[in-house]
């Protein structure tokens, strides 16, 4: 008689973000990855390797020429940062003084 396991098999965590074939002329070439719930994606590379461009393209701050972005298995079209935010995607620039702060506005506005 076969032995039955005491506990149920664990399911793989849900894929929350999947990028397939993301391309932008002279910047990104066929970039693909998937990110499961609970994972943290680290991106490293030399200056000019495309890290910032990748993040900006996923966030909708820069246009893409080809590729698909899926959130929880559903394909989405992100035409701008406002749509990315609606889908739960945030972006924090590496140059926060230049791109992340509204220097002519007060601290309360910048914190928000």
């Amino acid at each position: 008689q076969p032995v039955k396991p005491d506990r149920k098999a664990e399911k793989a965590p849900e894929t929350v973000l999947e990028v397939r074939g993301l391309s932008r002329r002279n910047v990104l070439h066929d970039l693909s990855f998937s990110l499961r719930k609970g994972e943290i994606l680290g991106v490293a590379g030399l200056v000019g390797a495309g890290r910032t461009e990748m993040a900006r393209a996923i966030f909708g701050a820069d246009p893409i020429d080809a590729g698909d972005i899926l959130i929880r298995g559903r394909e989405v079209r992100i035409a701008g940062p406002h749509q990315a935010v609606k889908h739960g995607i945030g972006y924090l620039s590496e140059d926060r003084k230049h791109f992340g702060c509204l220097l002519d506005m007060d601290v309360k506005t910048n914190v928000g």
Side-chain angles (χ1 to χ4, degrees), residues 9-65:
E10 293 181 23
K11 292 183 179 180
E14 170 189 24
T15 298
V16 293
L17 175 66
E18 186 173 357
V19 173
R20 296 184 196 157
L22 191 69
S23 297
R24 182 165 183 234
R25 185 178 305 144
N26 299 323
V27 180
L28 303 170
H29 308 284
D30 196 25
L31 174 71
S32 298
F33 66 87
S34 63
L35 187 63
R36 295 182 183 273
K37 185 176 181 178
E39 291 181 332
I40 297 172
L41 176 66
V43 180
L46 299 172
V47 172
R51 298 165 307 175
T52 301
E53 293 80 2
M54 176 200 71
R56 288 180 55 86
I58 293 168
F59 189 61
D62 292 338
I64 61 173
D65 297 324

